[in-house]
Amino acid sequence: MISNHPPYKTIFFILCFFLTLSSCSDNSEGENPVLPGQISWKTASSVTADAGSATLSISGTTGVKWTAEITAGASWCSFVSNDFTGSGQTVHGEVKDGLNILYLYYAANTDSEERTAAISFTFDGETEPHILSLKQVAAGQSVLPDFEGGYAETPAHKQDANYIYVTHYVKLDNRNVRNYSLCFDKTKKAALWVAYPLHKAYTSGDAGRVEDWNFDPSFESSFQPELFRSYKNSNNNSYDRGHQIPSADRQATDEMNRQTFYFSNMTPQLGQLNQKMWGKLEAKVRTYNCEDTLYVVTGAYFANTSTTTYDGAGNLVPVPTNYFKVLLRTKSGKTGKYVSDCTASELKAIGFWVDQKSYGNVEPPRSICTSVADIEQKTGFTFFPTIPDAVKQDYNPTDWNIN
């Protein structure tokens, strides 16, 4: 992982810069009123559990004075590198010509819970401060990128105390690459969506099914179903440990495939669905691979929680009423561009809405096809937020080889 620390010479320059600014007079009597400035995160507002620094970008009229204060999290955040004693809690400055940045340093988080710091930033002439927050994830948990500049397949975040957001990474060709991201609902003991890119780089290989069933190490096992053994039969129904990101979509390395066997990726899925039509749908999705990337979000929907079953340890868990997939790719498959840089005419998308029932051993029918916008309305999630709405409102099953 690339360090967030600036070079030591840069740190020395910034510290001297702050000391110089702190000695400047705040006397502005007789001056014209100063317009307020703007402050925002130049880098992400969510950071890893490792120690590092985040960057704030300051803009405004040259000469406007400002004050930044850490109002929450001063025990692990500071405006002075490696000083978490509280002496680096406040800093003063003024807007200069050119680039204006401020580093916020943070210590490593060794706890099992995420934590949040708050920064109050005030420009002279303003009556209300700007409040920014910095979230540091728990030890061992990965950061789900902020949406701006984030991954094309990652749905927009929804704030909910019961949601846990996780991104899993793997080594591929000596590089750290994302495997998949998920939004886990503690009350459902299941992921509401799992988002992932699909490309031959992920599917080419002979990893096979490692069958290494295990808890997701990114968050507490008490929130997850225990699935070393499969779900117990309930109400004369036989439920499989149904993958949301399929094992067959991750064949490049054993590590990549192993992560698909985390319990956070499982839901109780009827065997007559999982092993037949749903399995054929998963296989068909893999045929949509292209030189550009195919983006996939698979999810479970709970219209109600009245149907339940038991996990391998005998704990009661709700059963999804529906499953869905939403897909996005370029029409030609070989533009060489990010989807966020494509026009609506260059993109195509489709959704699949599936009932928790047996469809028989059939190919995916047209009846399950719908628009991404329709599934957004059904689930309340916003998918592929960087693309034009027109792409999400349109779909053509024939374009996806659905007869």
Side-chain angles (χ1 to χ4, degrees), residues 1 3 59 64 102 124 131 144 162 173 191 205 231 237 245 271 288 292 307 335 340 350 371 378-379:
M1 181 176 290
S3 172
S59 61
V64 173
L102 173 63
D124 280 4
I131 305 298
L144 189 64
N162 291 312
D173 298 328
Y231 295 96
N237 290 321
I245 174 172
Y288 303 144
D292 294 335
T307 302
T335 64
S340 57
I350 194 169
S371 66
K378 285 179 166 69
T379 63

Side-chain angles (χ1 to χ4, degrees), residues 27-53:
N27 222 340
S28 60
E29 279 123 330
E31 303 270 325
N32 291 327
V34 182
L35 297 175
Q38 295 293 324
I39 180 74
S40 63
W41 291 107
K42 183 175 176 64
T43 50
S45 60
S46 296
V47 296
T48 69
D50 299 326
S53 64

